[in-house]
Amino acid sequence: KQEVTQIPAALSVPEGENLVLNCSFTDSAIYNLQWFRQDPGKGLTSLLLIQSSQREQTSGRLNASLDKSSGRSTLYIAASQPGDSATYLCAVFSGSARQLTFGSGTQLTVLP
Amino acid sequence: GAGVSQSPRYKVAKRGQDVALRCDPISGHVSLFWYQQALGQGPEFLTYFQNEAQLDKSGLPSDRFFAERPEGSVSTLKIQRTQQEDSAVYLCASSLTTGFSYNEQFFGPGTRLTVL
């Protein structure tokens, strides 16, 4: 059974810092990996989707990498802003089921 | 509509009551998913529909949980005889196609269920 772990569970940084969020998964036979953002009381917003054949994806200040063989992904946020404060979730799509398996998330606070 | 919508946004039920949660997917999306998110946890898969067919219900925690999508668009998740452990946010997602090649899932805002 696929398991996804995110470290750290919570992170607080001053505005302007670059930061890295980590995600690991136990079964490397994945189709793709996706990073989401969740604001309090809101649904999930997709940030980046990396196909299994890709090594990284970039969108603005966000960069996500994927090392499928080691079962790891990182989300890099450059020049963090208070508006980046949210919970970041990593999810993998794997196996024959059409379902996403999520980690528990990293709660990020960017202090002004 | 422009996105996935869910109603109600908040539901408070007394233990033992039945509840029904509604999901309106993005128009034309073939696949529909339900997830349950407990406080402080990531969402967990409940069930999956391809059009009106429920192809996977392996994540439903008990036979008190029932989902349907009779016309292949709107879906309803019903929970019978609610219990306190059912308290969670229930998220609905839809995606455009059905193949194993992944299609991005778009999520609704969720329904927060509190069972007293």
PDB file of all heavy atoms in Angstrom, chain B residues 18-54:
ATOM      1  N   ASP B  18     -29.080  10.848   9.638  1.00  0.00           N
ATOM      2  CA  ASP B  18     -28.572  10.627   8.292  1.00  0.00           C
ATOM      3  C   ASP B  18     -28.247  11.981   7.655  1.00  0.00           C
ATOM      4  O   ASP B  18     -28.953  12.970   7.912  1.00  0.00           O
ATOM      5  CB  ASP B  18     -29.620   9.918   7.429  1.00  0.00           C
ATOM      6  CG  ASP B  18     -29.987   8.537   7.961  1.00  0.00           C
ATOM      7  OD1 ASP B  18     -29.273   8.026   8.847  1.00  0.00           O
ATOM      8  OD2 ASP B  18     -30.983   7.975   7.481  1.00  0.00           O
ATOM      9  N   VAL B  19     -27.191  12.024   6.838  1.00  0.00           N
ATOM     10  CA  VAL B  19     -26.848  13.260   6.140  1.00  0.00           C
ATOM     11  C   VAL B  19     -26.606  12.962   4.664  1.00  0.00           C
ATOM     12  O   VAL B  19     -26.261  11.828   4.292  1.00  0.00           O
ATOM     13  CB  VAL B  19     -25.595  13.947   6.741  1.00  0.00           C
ATOM     14  CG1 VAL B  19     -25.836  14.342   8.191  1.00  0.00           C
ATOM     15  CG2 VAL B  19     -24.374  13.068   6.599  1.00  0.00           C
ATOM     16  N   ALA B  20     -26.780  13.985   3.836  1.00  0.00           N
ATOM     17  CA  ALA B  20     -26.531  13.864   2.400  1.00  0.00           C
ATOM     18  C   ALA B  20     -25.700  15.058   1.960  1.00  0.00           C
ATOM     19  O   ALA B  20     -26.074  16.208   2.210  1.00  0.00           O
ATOM     20  CB  ALA B  20     -27.842  13.805   1.621  1.00  0.00           C
ATOM     21  N   LEU B  21     -24.596  14.793   1.316  1.00  0.00           N
ATOM     22  CA  LEU B  21     -23.677  15.827   0.848  1.00  0.00           C
ATOM     23  C   LEU B  21     -23.665  15.806  -0.679  1.00  0.00           C
ATOM     24  O   LEU B  21     -23.543  14.737  -1.288  1.00  0.00           O
ATOM     25  CB  LEU B  21     -22.261  15.557   1.395  1.00  0.00           C
ATOM     26  CG  LEU B  21     -22.156  15.236   2.890  1.00  0.00           C
ATOM     27  CD1 LEU B  21     -20.708  14.987   3.277  1.00  0.00           C
ATOM     28  CD2 LEU B  21     -22.772  16.324   3.723  1.00  0.00           C
ATOM     29  N   ARG B  22     -23.725  17.003  -1.266  1.00  0.00           N
ATOM     30  CA  ARG B  22     -23.871  17.105  -2.711  1.00  0.00           C
ATOM     31  C   ARG B  22     -22.612  17.640  -3.364  1.00  0.00           C
ATOM     32  O   ARG B  22     -21.931  18.509  -2.806  1.00  0.00           O
ATOM     33  CB  ARG B  22     -25.046  18.020  -3.045  1.00  0.00           C
ATOM     34  CG  ARG B  22     -25.265  18.294  -4.529  1.00  0.00           C
ATOM     35  CD  ARG B  22     -26.338  19.326  -4.743  1.00  0.00           C
ATOM     36  NE  ARG B  22     -26.406  19.776  -6.121  1.00  0.00           N
ATOM     37  CZ  ARG B  22     -27.369  19.458  -6.964  1.00  0.00           C
ATOM     38  NH1 ARG B  22     -28.384  18.699  -6.572  1.00  0.00           N
ATOM     39  NH2 ARG B  22     -27.356  19.923  -8.212  1.00  0.00           N
ATOM     40  N   CYS B  23     -22.314  17.132  -4.547  1.00  0.00           N
ATOM     41  CA  CYS B  23     -21.183  17.609  -5.336  1.00  0.00           C
ATOM     42  C   CYS B  23     -21.636  17.871  -6.770  1.00  0.00           C
ATOM     43  O   CYS B  23     -22.225  16.996  -7.416  1.00  0.00           O
ATOM     44  CB  CYS B  23     -20.061  16.578  -5.345  1.00  0.00           C
ATOM     45  SG  CYS B  23     -18.695  16.969  -6.484  1.00  0.00           S
ATOM     46  N   ASP B  24     -21.331  19.074  -7.256  1.00  0.00           N
ATOM     47  CA  ASP B  24     -21.556  19.423  -8.662  1.00  0.00           C
ATOM     48  C   ASP B  24     -20.196  19.522  -9.346  1.00  0.00           C
ATOM     49  O   ASP B  24     -19.473  20.499  -9.120  1.00  0.00           O
ATOM     50  CB  ASP B  24     -22.285  20.756  -8.781  1.00  0.00           C
ATOM     51  CG  ASP B  24     -23.752  20.642  -8.444  1.00  0.00           C
ATOM     52  OD1 ASP B  24     -24.081  20.666  -7.243  1.00  0.00           O
ATOM     53  OD2 ASP B  24     -24.550  20.520  -9.382  1.00  0.00           O
ATOM     54  N   PRO B  25     -19.845  18.569 -10.184  1.00  0.00           N
ATOM     55  CA  PRO B  25     -18.521  18.609 -10.819  1.00  0.00           C
ATOM     56  C   PRO B  25     -18.477  19.635 -11.941  1.00  0.00           C
ATOM     57  O   PRO B  25     -19.497  20.223 -12.314  1.00  0.00           O
ATOM     58  CB  PRO B  25     -18.374  17.194 -11.369  1.00  0.00           C
ATOM     59  CG  PRO B  25     -19.783  16.794 -11.708  1.00  0.00           C
ATOM     60  CD  PRO B  25     -20.632  17.421 -10.620  1.00  0.00           C
ATOM     61  N   ILE B  26     -17.300  19.842 -12.463  1.00  0.00           N
ATOM     62  CA  ILE B  26     -17.147  20.707 -13.632  1.00  0.00           C
ATOM     63  C   ILE B  26     -17.893  20.067 -14.798  1.00  0.00           C
ATOM     64  O   ILE B  26     -17.780  18.853 -15.025  1.00  0.00           O
ATOM     65  CB  ILE B  26     -15.660  20.914 -13.963  1.00  0.00           C
ATOM     66  CG1 ILE B  26     -14.986  21.695 -12.822  1.00  0.00           C
ATOM     67  CG2 ILE B  26     -15.480  21.641 -15.287  1.00  0.00           C
ATOM     68  CD1 ILE B  26     -13.486  21.823 -12.945  1.00  0.00           C
ATOM     69  N   SER B  27     -18.643  20.888 -15.516  1.00  0.00           N
ATOM     70  CA  SER B  27     -19.448  20.381 -16.619  1.00  0.00           C
ATOM     71  C   SER B  27     -18.594  19.614 -17.629  1.00  0.00           C
ATOM     72  O   SER B  27     -17.541  20.101 -18.064  1.00  0.00           O
ATOM     73  CB  SER B  27     -20.152  21.546 -17.320  1.00  0.00           C
ATOM     74  OG  SER B  27     -20.907  21.091 -18.413  1.00  0.00           O
ATOM     75  N   GLY B  28     -19.038  18.414 -17.967  1.00  0.00           N
ATOM     76  CA  GLY B  28     -18.326  17.607 -18.958  1.00  0.00           C
ATOM     77  C   GLY B  28     -17.269  16.692 -18.379  1.00  0.00           C
ATOM     78  O   GLY B  28     -16.713  15.850 -19.095  1.00  0.00           O
ATOM     79  N   HIS B  29     -16.976  16.834 -17.104  1.00  0.00           N
ATOM     80  CA  HIS B  29     -15.978  15.952 -16.494  1.00  0.00           C
ATOM     81  C   HIS B  29     -16.571  14.566 -16.270  1.00  0.00           C
ATOM     82  O   HIS B  29     -17.641  14.417 -15.680  1.00  0.00           O
ATOM     83  CB  HIS B  29     -15.477  16.539 -15.179  1.00  0.00           C
ATOM     84  CG  HIS B  29     -14.397  17.545 -15.371  1.00  0.00           C
ATOM     85  ND1 HIS B  29     -13.550  17.939 -14.352  1.00  0.00           N
ATOM     86  CD2 HIS B  29     -14.018  18.242 -16.470  1.00  0.00           C
ATOM     87  CE1 HIS B  29     -12.685  18.825 -14.822  1.00  0.00           C
ATOM     88  NE2 HIS B  29     -12.953  19.032 -16.098  1.00  0.00           N
ATOM     89  N   VAL B  30     -15.845  13.573 -16.725  1.00  0.00           N
ATOM     90  CA  VAL B  30     -16.336  12.203 -16.683  1.00  0.00           C
ATOM     91  C   VAL B  30     -16.104  11.563 -15.322  1.00  0.00           C
ATOM     92  O   VAL B  30     -16.924  10.812 -14.812  1.00  0.00           O
ATOM     93  CB  VAL B  30     -15.647  11.382 -17.795  1.00  0.00           C
ATOM     94  CG1 VAL B  30     -15.995   9.909 -17.682  1.00  0.00           C
ATOM     95  CG2 VAL B  30     -16.032  11.918 -19.170  1.00  0.00           C
ATOM     96  N   SER B  31     -14.958  11.857 -14.720  1.00  0.00           N
ATOM     97  CA  SER B  31     -14.576  11.203 -13.468  1.00  0.00           C
ATOM     98  C   SER B  31     -14.913  12.071 -12.269  1.00  0.00           C
ATOM     99  O   SER B  31     -14.751  13.292 -12.307  1.00  0.00           O
ATOM    100  CB  SER B  31     -13.074  10.898 -13.469  1.00  0.00           C
ATOM    101  OG  SER B  31     -12.755  10.004 -14.512  1.00  0.00           O
ATOM    102  N   LEU B  32     -15.366  11.406 -11.203  1.00  0.00           N
ATOM    103  CA  LEU B  32     -15.707  12.117  -9.970  1.00  0.00           C
ATOM    104  C   LEU B  32     -15.201  11.305  -8.781  1.00  0.00           C
ATOM    105  O   LEU B  32     -15.345  10.075  -8.752  1.00  0.00           O
ATOM    106  CB  LEU B  32     -17.219  12.342  -9.876  1.00  0.00           C
ATOM    107  CG  LEU B  32     -17.723  13.192  -8.699  1.00  0.00           C
ATOM    108  CD1 LEU B  32     -18.925  14.021  -9.121  1.00  0.00           C
ATOM    109  CD2 LEU B  32     -18.024  12.341  -7.483  1.00  0.00           C
ATOM    110  N   PHE B  33     -14.612  12.000  -7.825  1.00  0.00           N
ATOM    111  CA  PHE B  33     -13.985  11.361  -6.669  1.00  0.00           C
ATOM    112  C   PHE B  33     -14.512  11.993  -5.383  1.00  0.00           C
ATOM    113  O   PHE B  33     -14.746  13.194  -5.336  1.00  0.00           O
ATOM    114  CB  PHE B  33     -12.459  11.563  -6.695  1.00  0.00           C
ATOM    115  CG  PHE B  33     -11.796  11.146  -7.979  1.00  0.00           C
ATOM    116  CD1 PHE B  33     -11.801  11.975  -9.085  1.00  0.00           C
ATOM    117  CD2 PHE B  33     -11.143   9.931  -8.066  1.00  0.00           C
ATOM    118  CE1 PHE B  33     -11.187  11.604 -10.275  1.00  0.00           C
ATOM    119  CE2 PHE B  33     -10.516   9.555  -9.250  1.00  0.00           C
ATOM    120  CZ  PHE B  33     -10.544  10.389 -10.341  1.00  0.00           C
ATOM    121  N   TRP B  34     -14.624  11.184  -4.345  1.00  0.00           N
ATOM    122  CA  TRP B  34     -14.900  11.680  -2.995  1.00  0.00           C
ATOM    123  C   TRP B  34     -13.713  11.327  -2.101  1.00  0.00           C
ATOM    124  O   TRP B  34     -13.178  10.204  -2.159  1.00  0.00           O
ATOM    125  CB  TRP B  34     -16.162  11.049  -2.420  1.00  0.00           C
ATOM    126  CG  TRP B  34     -17.451  11.591  -2.955  1.00  0.00           C
ATOM    127  CD1 TRP B  34     -18.235  11.070  -3.935  1.00  0.00           C
ATOM    128  CD2 TRP B  34     -18.134  12.773  -2.488  1.00  0.00           C
ATOM    129  NE1 TRP B  34     -19.351  11.849  -4.126  1.00  0.00           N
ATOM    130  CE2 TRP B  34     -19.326  12.894  -3.238  1.00  0.00           C
ATOM    131  CE3 TRP B  34     -17.867  13.731  -1.512  1.00  0.00           C
ATOM    132  CZ2 TRP B  34     -20.237  13.934  -3.057  1.00  0.00           C
ATOM    133  CZ3 TRP B  34     -18.771  14.759  -1.327  1.00  0.00           C
ATOM    134  CH2 TRP B  34     -19.936  14.861  -2.096  1.00  0.00           C
ATOM    135  N   TYR B  35     -13.319  12.307  -1.265  1.00  0.00           N
ATOM    136  CA  TYR B  35     -12.252  12.118  -0.292  1.00  0.00           C
ATOM    137  C   TYR B  35     -12.750  12.573   1.077  1.00  0.00           C
ATOM    138  O   TYR B  35     -13.596  13.461   1.188  1.00  0.00           O
ATOM    139  CB  TYR B  35     -11.011  12.944  -0.650  1.00  0.00           C
ATOM    140  CG  TYR B  35     -10.301  12.517  -1.922  1.00  0.00           C
ATOM    141  CD1 TYR B  35     -10.722  12.985  -3.163  1.00  0.00           C
ATOM    142  CD2 TYR B  35      -9.201  11.661  -1.890  1.00  0.00           C
ATOM    143  CE1 TYR B  35     -10.072  12.605  -4.332  1.00  0.00           C
ATOM    144  CE2 TYR B  35      -8.547  11.281  -3.047  1.00  0.00           C
ATOM    145  CZ  TYR B  35      -8.988  11.748  -4.261  1.00  0.00           C
ATOM    146  OH  TYR B  35      -8.334  11.369  -5.414  1.00  0.00           O
ATOM    147  N   GLN B  36     -12.182  11.996   2.131  1.00  0.00           N
ATOM    148  CA  GLN B  36     -12.481  12.396   3.502  1.00  0.00           C
ATOM    149  C   GLN B  36     -11.203  12.947   4.117  1.00  0.00           C
ATOM    150  O   GLN B  36     -10.147  12.301   4.041  1.00  0.00           O
ATOM    151  CB  GLN B  36     -12.956  11.177   4.314  1.00  0.00           C
ATOM    152  CG  GLN B  36     -13.298  11.474   5.762  1.00  0.00           C
ATOM    153  CD  GLN B  36     -13.537  10.187   6.548  1.00  0.00           C
ATOM    154  OE1 GLN B  36     -12.671   9.318   6.620  1.00  0.00           O
ATOM    155  NE2 GLN B  36     -14.720  10.043   7.123  1.00  0.00           N
ATOM    156  N   GLN B  37     -11.286  14.130   4.724  1.00  0.00           N
ATOM    157  CA  GLN B  37     -10.114  14.741   5.329  1.00  0.00           C
ATOM    158  C   GLN B  37     -10.367  15.006   6.807  1.00  0.00           C
ATOM    159  O   GLN B  37     -11.146  15.900   7.156  1.00  0.00           O
ATOM    160  CB  GLN B  37      -9.727  16.036   4.615  1.00  0.00           C
ATOM    161  CG  GLN B  37      -8.420  16.637   5.121  1.00  0.00           C
ATOM    162  CD  GLN B  37      -7.982  17.853   4.327  1.00  0.00           C
ATOM    163  OE1 GLN B  37      -8.782  18.520   3.683  1.00  0.00           O
ATOM    164  NE2 GLN B  37      -6.681  18.151   4.361  1.00  0.00           N
ATOM    165  N   ALA B  38      -9.708  14.241   7.651  1.00  0.00           N
ATOM    166  CA  ALA B  38      -9.793  14.468   9.093  1.00  0.00           C
ATOM    167  C   ALA B  38      -8.897  15.641   9.465  1.00  0.00           C
ATOM    168  O   ALA B  38      -7.961  15.996   8.738  1.00  0.00           O
ATOM    169  CB  ALA B  38      -9.372  13.205   9.847  1.00  0.00           C
ATOM    170  N   LEU B  39      -9.159  16.227  10.599  1.00  0.00           N
ATOM    171  CA  LEU B  39      -8.429  17.410  11.045  1.00  0.00           C
ATOM    172  C   LEU B  39      -6.933  17.119  11.141  1.00  0.00           C
ATOM    173  O   LEU B  39      -6.525  16.132  11.760  1.00  0.00           O
ATOM    174  CB  LEU B  39      -8.967  17.862  12.406  1.00  0.00           C
ATOM    175  CG  LEU B  39      -8.428  19.194  12.936  1.00  0.00           C
ATOM    176  CD1 LEU B  39      -8.866  20.329  12.008  1.00  0.00           C
ATOM    177  CD2 LEU B  39      -8.919  19.447  14.358  1.00  0.00           C
ATOM    178  N   GLY B  40      -6.140  17.947  10.477  1.00  0.00           N
ATOM    179  CA  GLY B  40      -4.688  17.794  10.538  1.00  0.00           C
ATOM    180  C   GLY B  40      -4.112  16.698   9.670  1.00  0.00           C
ATOM    181  O   GLY B  40      -2.910  16.423   9.739  1.00  0.00           O
ATOM    182  N   GLN B  41      -4.957  16.092   8.852  1.00  0.00           N
ATOM    183  CA  GLN B  41      -4.511  14.996   7.986  1.00  0.00           C
ATOM    184  C   GLN B  41      -4.730  15.357   6.518  1.00  0.00           C
ATOM    185  O   GLN B  41      -5.452  16.288   6.185  1.00  0.00           O
ATOM    186  CB  GLN B  41      -5.273  13.715   8.304  1.00  0.00           C
ATOM    187  CG  GLN B  41      -5.123  13.243   9.735  1.00  0.00           C
ATOM    188  CD  GLN B  41      -3.698  12.874  10.055  1.00  0.00           C
ATOM    189  OE1 GLN B  41      -3.018  12.200   9.278  1.00  0.00           O
ATOM    190  NE2 GLN B  41      -3.216  13.328  11.205  1.00  0.00           N
ATOM    191  N   GLY B  42      -4.084  14.580   5.643  1.00  0.00           N
ATOM    192  CA  GLY B  42      -4.352  14.734   4.226  1.00  0.00           C
ATOM    193  C   GLY B  42      -5.637  14.020   3.856  1.00  0.00           C
ATOM    194  O   GLY B  42      -6.131  13.168   4.593  1.00  0.00           O
ATOM    195  N   PRO B  43      -6.220  14.373   2.711  1.00  0.00           N
ATOM    196  CA  PRO B  43      -7.441  13.697   2.263  1.00  0.00           C
ATOM    197  C   PRO B  43      -7.201  12.203   2.024  1.00  0.00           C
ATOM    198  O   PRO B  43      -6.118  11.815   1.596  1.00  0.00           O
ATOM    199  CB  PRO B  43      -7.774  14.407   0.952  1.00  0.00           C
ATOM    200  CG  PRO B  43      -7.087  15.730   1.037  1.00  0.00           C
ATOM    201  CD  PRO B  43      -5.833  15.477   1.813  1.00  0.00           C
ATOM    202  N   GLU B  44      -8.222  11.409   2.296  1.00  0.00           N
ATOM    203  CA  GLU B  44      -8.160   9.979   2.018  1.00  0.00           C
ATOM    204  C   GLU B  44      -9.290   9.604   1.065  1.00  0.00           C
ATOM    205  O   GLU B  44     -10.437  10.029   1.237  1.00  0.00           O
ATOM    206  CB  GLU B  44      -8.265   9.173   3.308  1.00  0.00           C
ATOM    207  CG  GLU B  44      -7.050   9.325   4.207  1.00  0.00           C
ATOM    208  CD  GLU B  44      -7.017   8.306   5.326  1.00  0.00           C
ATOM    209  OE1 GLU B  44      -7.964   7.515   5.431  1.00  0.00           O
ATOM    210  OE2 GLU B  44      -6.035   8.318   6.099  1.00  0.00           O
ATOM    211  N   PHE B  45      -8.951   8.785   0.081  1.00  0.00           N
ATOM    212  CA  PHE B  45      -9.879   8.372  -0.962  1.00  0.00           C
ATOM    213  C   PHE B  45     -11.057   7.597  -0.384  1.00  0.00           C
ATOM    214  O   PHE B  45     -10.897   6.724   0.470  1.00  0.00           O
ATOM    215  CB  PHE B  45      -9.129   7.504  -1.971  1.00  0.00           C
ATOM    216  CG  PHE B  45     -10.000   6.831  -2.993  1.00  0.00           C
ATOM    217  CD1 PHE B  45     -10.441   7.525  -4.108  1.00  0.00           C
ATOM    218  CD2 PHE B  45     -10.393   5.510  -2.837  1.00  0.00           C
ATOM    219  CE1 PHE B  45     -11.236   6.901  -5.058  1.00  0.00           C
ATOM    220  CE2 PHE B  45     -11.183   4.873  -3.778  1.00  0.00           C
ATOM    221  CZ  PHE B  45     -11.608   5.582  -4.896  1.00  0.00           C
ATOM    222  N   LEU B  46     -12.250   7.921  -0.865  1.00  0.00           N
ATOM    223  CA  LEU B  46     -13.444   7.169  -0.497  1.00  0.00           C
ATOM    224  C   LEU B  46     -13.967   6.349  -1.668  1.00  0.00           C
ATOM    225  O   LEU B  46     -14.130   5.136  -1.578  1.00  0.00           O
ATOM    226  CB  LEU B  46     -14.551   8.121  -0.017  1.00  0.00           C
ATOM    227  CG  LEU B  46     -14.293   8.861   1.294  1.00  0.00           C
ATOM    228  CD1 LEU B  46     -15.451   9.817   1.577  1.00  0.00           C
ATOM    229  CD2 LEU B  46     -14.119   7.884   2.443  1.00  0.00           C
ATOM    230  N   THR B  47     -14.265   7.038  -2.795  1.00  0.00           N
ATOM    231  CA  THR B  47     -14.898   6.346  -3.901  1.00  0.00           C
ATOM    232  C   THR B  47     -14.690   7.104  -5.201  1.00  0.00           C
ATOM    233  O   THR B  47     -14.378   8.288  -5.174  1.00  0.00           O
ATOM    234  CB  THR B  47     -16.401   6.133  -3.630  1.00  0.00           C
ATOM    235  OG1 THR B  47     -16.980   5.308  -4.645  1.00  0.00           O
ATOM    236  CG2 THR B  47     -17.157   7.460  -3.576  1.00  0.00           C
ATOM    237  N   TYR B  48     -14.866   6.390  -6.340  1.00  0.00           N
ATOM    238  CA  TYR B  48     -14.629   6.952  -7.661  1.00  0.00           C
ATOM    239  C   TYR B  48     -15.749   6.552  -8.621  1.00  0.00           C
ATOM    240  O   TYR B  48     -16.176   5.382  -8.635  1.00  0.00           O
ATOM    241  CB  TYR B  48     -13.278   6.449  -8.182  1.00  0.00           C
ATOM    242  CG  TYR B  48     -13.096   6.515  -9.684  1.00  0.00           C
ATOM    243  CD1 TYR B  48     -13.017   7.738 -10.337  1.00  0.00           C
ATOM    244  CD2 TYR B  48     -13.013   5.350 -10.453  1.00  0.00           C
ATOM    245  CE1 TYR B  48     -12.841   7.797 -11.709  1.00  0.00           C
ATOM    246  CE2 TYR B  48     -12.836   5.401 -11.821  1.00  0.00           C
ATOM    247  CZ  TYR B  48     -12.754   6.625 -12.445  1.00  0.00           C
ATOM    248  OH  TYR B  48     -12.589   6.693 -13.805  1.00  0.00           O
ATOM    249  N   PHE B  49     -16.218   7.521  -9.406  1.00  0.00           N
ATOM    250  CA  PHE B  49     -17.223   7.288 -10.442  1.00  0.00           C
ATOM    251  C   PHE B  49     -16.651   7.619 -11.815  1.00  0.00           C
ATOM    252  O   PHE B  49     -15.932   8.600 -11.981  1.00  0.00           O
ATOM    253  CB  PHE B  49     -18.454   8.185 -10.229  1.00  0.00           C
ATOM    254  CG  PHE B  49     -19.305   7.804  -9.057  1.00  0.00           C
ATOM    255  CD1 PHE B  49     -19.016   8.289  -7.791  1.00  0.00           C
ATOM    256  CD2 PHE B  49     -20.402   6.978  -9.216  1.00  0.00           C
ATOM    257  CE1 PHE B  49     -19.799   7.948  -6.707  1.00  0.00           C
ATOM    258  CE2 PHE B  49     -21.201   6.633  -8.137  1.00  0.00           C
ATOM    259  CZ  PHE B  49     -20.895   7.123  -6.882  1.00  0.00           C
ATOM    260  N   GLN B  50     -16.995   6.792 -12.769  1.00  0.00           N
ATOM    261  CA  GLN B  50     -16.783   7.100 -14.184  1.00  0.00           C
ATOM    262  C   GLN B  50     -18.177   7.212 -14.782  1.00  0.00           C
ATOM    263  O   GLN B  50     -18.883   6.220 -14.939  1.00  0.00           O
ATOM    264  CB  GLN B  50     -15.989   6.002 -14.862  1.00  0.00           C
ATOM    265  CG  GLN B  50     -15.740   6.239 -16.342  1.00  0.00           C
ATOM    266  CD  GLN B  50     -14.930   5.107 -16.949  1.00  0.00           C
ATOM    267  OE1 GLN B  50     -13.948   4.638 -16.377  1.00  0.00           O
ATOM    268  NE2 GLN B  50     -15.361   4.643 -18.108  1.00  0.00           N
ATOM    269  N   ASN B  51     -18.543   8.426 -15.128  1.00  0.00           N
ATOM    270  CA  ASN B  51     -19.937   8.720 -15.495  1.00  0.00           C
ATOM    271  C   ASN B  51     -20.844   8.261 -14.345  1.00  0.00           C
ATOM    272  O   ASN B  51     -20.616   8.646 -13.204  1.00  0.00           O
ATOM    273  CB  ASN B  51     -20.294   8.079 -16.829  1.00  0.00           C
ATOM    274  CG  ASN B  51     -19.504   8.682 -17.971  1.00  0.00           C
ATOM    275  OD1 ASN B  51     -19.487   9.898 -18.152  1.00  0.00           O
ATOM    276  ND2 ASN B  51     -18.837   7.854 -18.753  1.00  0.00           N
ATOM    277  N   GLU B  52     -21.826   7.427 -14.610  1.00  0.00           N
ATOM    278  CA  GLU B  52     -22.724   7.020 -13.530  1.00  0.00           C
ATOM    279  C   GLU B  52     -22.262   5.753 -12.823  1.00  0.00           C
ATOM    280  O   GLU B  52     -22.856   5.350 -11.815  1.00  0.00           O
ATOM    281  CB  GLU B  52     -24.140   6.822 -14.082  1.00  0.00           C
ATOM    282  CG  GLU B  52     -24.308   5.618 -15.003  1.00  0.00           C
ATOM    283  CD  GLU B  52     -23.870   5.895 -16.415  1.00  0.00           C
ATOM    284  OE1 GLU B  52     -23.365   7.023 -16.690  1.00  0.00           O
ATOM    285  OE2 GLU B  52     -24.015   5.001 -17.265  1.00  0.00           O
ATOM    286  N   ALA B  53     -21.214   5.135 -13.337  1.00  0.00           N
ATOM    287  CA  ALA B  53     -20.752   3.868 -12.770  1.00  0.00           C
ATOM    288  C   ALA B  53     -19.761   4.098 -11.618  1.00  0.00           C
ATOM    289  O   ALA B  53     -18.767   4.810 -11.774  1.00  0.00           O
ATOM    290  CB  ALA B  53     -20.094   3.030 -13.853  1.00  0.00           C
ATOM    291  N   GLN B  54     -20.054   3.450 -10.502  1.00  0.00           N
ATOM    292  CA  GLN B  54     -19.153   3.518  -9.358  1.00  0.00           C
ATOM    293  C   GLN B  54     -18.119   2.405  -9.504  1.00  0.00           C
ATOM    294  O   GLN B  54     -18.414   1.240  -9.231  1.00  0.00           O
ATOM    295  CB  GLN B  54     -19.934   3.373  -8.050  1.00  0.00           C
ATOM    296  CG  GLN B  54     -19.102   3.629  -6.809  1.00  0.00           C
ATOM    297  CD  GLN B  54     -19.947   3.598  -5.535  1.00  0.00           C
ATOM    298  OE1 GLN B  54     -21.047   3.040  -5.516  1.00  0.00           O
ATOM    299  NE2 GLN B  54     -19.466   4.198  -4.465  1.00  0.00           N
TER     300      GLN B  54
END
